[in-house]
Each structure stands twice: as C-alpha cells, then as structure tokens.
Amino acid sequence: MPVKKHWLYPVLALLLFAGCRKDLKVVSFTDKGAPVTALSVSSLFQNNMVVQRDKPVNIWGQAPVHTPVTVNVSWSSASLLAITDASGNWKVSVPPAAANSSPQAITVKAPGYTTVTFSDVLIGDVWICSGQSNMVMPVDTMAPFKGVLNYVAEIAAANYPLIRVLTVQEDIEASPIANLKRAVSWNVCSPATVGSTSAVAYYFARKLNTTLNVPIGIIVSAVNGSYCQDWANVEAIENNPNVANNYLAGSSGLYNGMINPLINLSIKGFTWYQGENNQVDPSLSAFTLLNADLVKGWRSKFNQPDLPFYYVQLTPFAADYSSTMPPGGNPISDYLAYFREAQANMRPLLANTGMVVTMDVGDPANHHPADKKPVGERLGLLALNYTYSQNVPCVGPQYASLTASQSTVTINFVPGTAEGLSTGNNAPLKQCFFVAGTDQVFREGQAVISGNTIVITAPEGTPLPVIAARYAFTNAPVTNLQNAAGLPAEPFRTDNWHN
C-alpha cells in the first residue's frame, strides 16, 4: 500500500530548500503591510506576566509564511506546534491550568530564528480595567492628578509581588488592529512601580489578591476625556438603531487601537469607570443602551459571552462649584442624578454586571476625587461575591418601596442590603431626602433612621399626601447613609416625572 504523504511534507521541504537557496525568499506581511522577517510573539506576552487560570491560554505571534512554530510552557509537558498562515500569523492554545504562584516559563521556537523565552510567568486571574480619567488616575501625583489620599504611605506599602500590571498606551485607530502599536511591559507591583499604576485598578487587584491569595494581572486600557462610544466596537453600535442614531459617527477609535489587540486573551472579566464625557448626552436612555452594547460587543469579541462587567457610578460633582455664593454649586441642580440613573439602568439589561456607588467618597469641586481606595475595593467586593462566590457584602442599601401616610413616608430597602442601617462615623444623617405632595414639587424633608428603614417627614407647605420621594438625586450630594458593611445607599427616586 502506498504511504500517504502528510500535507506538512512539502512545507518542510520548502523550508529546507529555502535554507539552502539564499536567493529564495518566502515573504509574508503584517496587517499593516510590513513584511514579516522574524519570529515574534504578541507584545502582550512579557516577563512577569499573568496568564488566565482554568481557561485555555492562547499564545500567538508572527513569522514568515509556512514557518513551523513550537511552543512549550513549563506547567505542561506537551509541545504545541503551529504553522504560520499566508499572512504570517500563528497561534496555539495551551490547555487550562490551575492557579500557580511559582514562576513559570514560556518558550517559543522556530527553525532558523532566535528562541523567545518569557520568565516569571504566573497563573492566576486577568482583568481588563478600562474607562476614562478616573480609571487612569495613578496612585502617585501625575499632573493634573494630585495622587490618592495618603499616596506616600500607600506607595511605600505596595509590596504585592503576585499583582502584575500592564498599561496599554493611548492609540486611536480608524479600524481594528491585531497588535498593539506601542510598546508595553508587565510590571511586578512594588513601591518602585505602583506610583504610575491606575489607582482604582490597583486597589481592585489588591482586594482580590489579599482575599483569594492567587496571582492577579490587571491590564489597564483607559484614556482621559474619552467617550463610551470610543470604546464600543462599531458592529455593536450598528446593530442597535437607537444607539447608532446617537453614537455611530466617530465611534470605536479606542476600541480599535486598545481593546481589539487584546481579544485573543483569556481573561476573568472587566472593570469600567467612565461617564464624565457622556453626562450631558441628549438621550440618556440611548446612553444606557450604548453602555450595554459595549459590554455585549466586548464579550462577543473575546468569545467569552459571560464575562463579568463591574462598573462605577459617577461621584458627586458640581460643575458650577466656584460660581455660586457660597461656593458649592446650585444645591438642587440634578442633571447628573439623571445620568447616574441611566448608569444604574444598565444592570437589568445584562447578566454578570454590578455597579459601585460612590456618593460618600466624592469631592463636589473635583470630578477626580482623591479617595480611590473605596472605589477599587468595592469593585473587588462585587467580583468576590458575584464571580468568586465569596460570602461578602458587596452593595449598599437599595430602594425597594415607599409607604406613604399623609405627611410622612417610609423608605423600605431591598432585603439584605440595609442591615445595620447607620451613618459613617455615627455622624448626623445628611439630609439628602426630598419629598413631593400632590403638586409634584420636591421639597427637602427631614429624615431619620428607623431600624432598617428611613422615615421622612414632609416640610410645612407640602400639599398632602406625600406621593413621591427622592434620595441624593442632585448633582453633588456627598452622603453618609450606609449599611453595617460601610457600603453607601444608592441614589433613587420613586417617581418617573420629568422635573
């Protein structure tokens, strides 16, 4: 019986022939048209990196066309072989492995080319942290940011060798690119490196690492002053007419340059802190859909449809802080309250999402408050509870219902969210409560804590009975109502009026 030749034989013969014939050149090209002349591995792979546990690990790169590439990892005995395609691309998939804090190695070889080796590779959980300036803001001072609270002490104490950080450099692209254009590196978290790290991402990673005792890798891909539509892939926007009509023009540039090059990675999930640039959008319902479509699009592109997405609601802020007398802004201005409501409205649309409330840690004079530790840690609590199934409180009091009785109303909260209802440091309750009578005009009420409820008394002049209530539903109310876990109450309104 004749022996059936494997399809690889002519390829290997061609390679051997090419090695003898100096005048024969096999050329392939990158997605930008430059010829591929050497063996390379995606720049996401570096010394000190973290690869995702319990999922296949894709490793990929480029080499001239039809080059056999062999990949070995120290945590597996198998050798993985790939042959570059007509564009010079290769990829292998390493089988899933458990978390491992011991340094591992990745070795990539191809005949005739310099072997590529990565060392001090850990196996743990990888999270992508994205958004705009409040996600960019580093631990240390870096103009225009003034550093986090107690940044000198925080930097000195940041000795967490199982936390590794990669920061993607800003890149706006007209179409999706496969590889990052700008150099990146993975850094071991230490006092020498943490200063330039995203503060929110660092505190998030620290919460997970110290609780779970597994390596945590954070990939920070965020840009100051960016819009949500900059980060959504264009197909996600095009597929929803309500979104496309408002956001398609000029969209997707940051997705193309800073998210699409990451989509071959296996990851654990996303954290997101964005909204300042979209806060005056003409259609807030369209913004809710846009943010939801961003999540759907990312999950689809990463081919991991259930990836968690945890995000931050905007803090109190008064754009007119310095233009009022006394300073502080118009106390009843409320456009930001409606935007926060639009952010909150995304949760019912998508599984595996959660929102951090920041009404107690804001600075009305600054859209970039320095108290970033609670923000990152609350993102961590959402992940610990919802993703890692840890029995930890992760949300503050959430509105459930209103019971009205002429001049008073009782606010009932979702069971389990308002246990131990109290105020921060047992200070007097900040009066961020408004009630409306039959004229639908909101007036500041007087609220008291009663067990796990709030009782609000309407002021004189309110046409009774009281029929609606609002809490922290203005631009810049810094609140202090919390549950026993110290998590703040979420802003709410019981009406659907347009005033």
Side-chain angles (χ1 to χ4, degrees):
M1 178 180 294
V3 178
K4 184 178 181 181
K5 292 186 178 181
H6 194 278
W7 67 269
L8 185 58
Y9 289 176
V11 174
L12 294 175
L14 178 62
L15 290 168
L16 290 171
F17 182 59
C20 298
R21 282 280 307 275
K22 300 302 182 183
D23 59 334
L24 177 63
K25 294 182 179 179
V26 179
V27 180
S28 51
F29 294 87
T30 68
D31 57 355
K32 288 298 183 182
V36 179
T37 59
L39 171 67
S40 67
V41 185
S42 166
S43 62
L44 296 172
F45 290 84
Q46 305 272 344
N47 296 335
N48 308 319
M49 73 179 300
V50 177
V51 297
Q52 180 60 47
R53 62 170 166 163
D54 302 329
K55 293 182 180 182
V57 175
N58 293 323
I59 303 174
W60 69 96
Q62 292 189 312
V65 65
H66 300 321
T67 299
V69 178
T70 303
V71 179
N72 292 92
V73 297
S74 59
W75 62 90
S76 173
S77 60
S79 291
L80 301 171
L81 175 66
I83 306 296
T84 55
D85 63 18
S87 298
N89 299 310
W90 62 267
K91 183 170 73 171
V92 300
S93 184
V94 181
N100 194 329
S101 300
S102 299
Q104 304 295 317
I106 299 172
T107 303
V108 182
K109 299 178 180 180
Y113 298 98
T114 301
T115 297
V116 180
T117 301
F118 305 114
S119 60
D120 194 19
V121 176
L122 306 182
I123 306 173
D125 288 332
V126 180
W127 290 81
I128 293 176
C129 305
S130 189
Q132 62 178 108
S133 49
N134 272 307
M135 184 61 85
V136 172
M137 181 178 173
V139 177
D140 202 352
T141 60
M142 184 181 294
F145 307 125
K146 297 181 179 180
V148 300
L149 292 183
N150 305 314
Y151 67 89
V152 173
E154 291 286 350
I155 291 171
N159 186 27
Y160 295 95
L162 297 187
I163 296 176
R164 309 294 173 85
V165 184
L166 182 146
T167 301
V168 178
Q169 302 303 305
E170 180 177 348
D171 185 15
I172 301 171
E173 295 287 338
S175 58
I177 59 174
N179 301 293
L180 293 174
K181 273 189 174 181
R182 302 186 179 182
V184 291
S185 61
W186 283 90
N187 293 318
V188 180
C189 181
S190 71
T193 63
V194 77
S196 61
T197 299
S198 160
V200 168
Y202 162 64
Y203 289 122
F204 168 74
R206 190 176 75 176
K207 185 68 175 177
L208 297 187
N209 172 244
T210 56
T211 304
L212 302 170
N213 196 32
V214 299
I216 300 294
I218 47 175
I219 298 176
V220 181
S221 189
V223 173
N224 296 338
S226 53
Y227 291 82
C228 185
Q229 60 266 33
D230 296 334
W231 295 100
N233 61 295
V234 68
E235 300 97 327
I237 298 176
E238 288 176 333
N239 288 337
N240 188 335
N242 292 329
V243 174
N245 291 339
N246 288 274
Y247 296 110
L248 184 57
S251 66
S252 308
L254 294 176
Y255 169 83
N256 293 337
M258 299 177 66
I259 298 295
N260 197 73
L262 313 179
I263 61 175
N264 281 327
L265 287 173
S266 291
I267 62 172
K268 193 69 174 179
F270 305 104
T271 64
W272 174 255
Y273 195 165
Q274 194 278 334
E276 297 90 337
N277 270 44
N278 290 95
Q279 65 191 21
V280 292
D281 285 8
S283 172
L284 293 182
S285 61
F287 173 80
T288 300
L289 297 176
L290 168 68
N291 211 165
D293 285 342
L294 176 147
V295 179
K296 295 175 188 176
W298 285 12
R299 288 172 171 174
S300 175
K301 289 294 186 178
F302 278 81
N303 197 27
Q304 298 172 75
D306 298 320
L307 286 172
F309 188 94
Y310 302 125
Y311 64 101
V312 182
Q313 192 181 48
L314 291 191
T315 61
F317 175 66
D320 56 348
Y321 186 89
S322 299
S323 61
T324 59
M325 190 59 65
N330 182 345
I332 61 172
S333 184
D334 59 5
Y335 70 91
L336 266 185
Y338 287 95
F339 183 79
R340 294 188 193 104
E341 183 180 68
Q343 290 182 299
N345 287 344
M346 187 176 75
R347 287 173 302 183
L349 302 180
L350 297 169
N352 296 332
T353 59
M355 186 182 76
V356 167
V357 174
T358 60
M359 301 307 293
D360 59 331
V361 292
D363 177 354
N366 189 351
H367 235 330
H368 308 108
D371 198 3
K372 289 289 187 284
K373 181 162 69 173
V375 180
E377 290 185 343
R378 289 170 189 174
L379 285 168
L381 290 174
L382 288 172
L384 288 170
N385 189 309
Y386 297 152
T387 301
Y388 296 99
S389 301
Q390 300 275 314
N391 185 22
V392 296
C394 65
V395 296
Q398 295 177 332
Y399 170 77
S401 64
L402 174 149
T403 304
S405 177
Q406 290 301 311
S407 64
T408 64
V409 291
T410 299
I411 302 299
N412 306 295
F413 295 99
V414 173
T417 68
E419 299 301 317
L421 201 61
S422 63
T423 59
N425 298 317
N426 292 315
L429 177 63
K430 292 185 178 180
Q431 296 298 316
C432 303
F433 298 87
F434 290 78
V435 293
T438 55
D439 60 355
Q440 297 190 2
V441 174
F442 283 93
R443 301 170 176 85
E444 186 174 349
Q446 185 67 32
V448 296
I449 297 173
S450 177
N452 292 333
T453 68
I454 291 289
V455 177
I456 312 169
T457 301
E460 290 186 11
T462 302
L464 303 176
V466 172
I467 56 175
R470 293 179 176 181
Y471 169 68
F473 208 78
T474 55
N475 285 352
V478 180
T479 66
N480 67 350
L481 180 63
Q482 62 184 32
N483 60 17
L487 297 171
E490 186 172 320
F492 65 83
R493 60 175 177 146
T494 67
D495 64 281
N496 60 0
W497 308 330
H498 298 289
N499 60 317

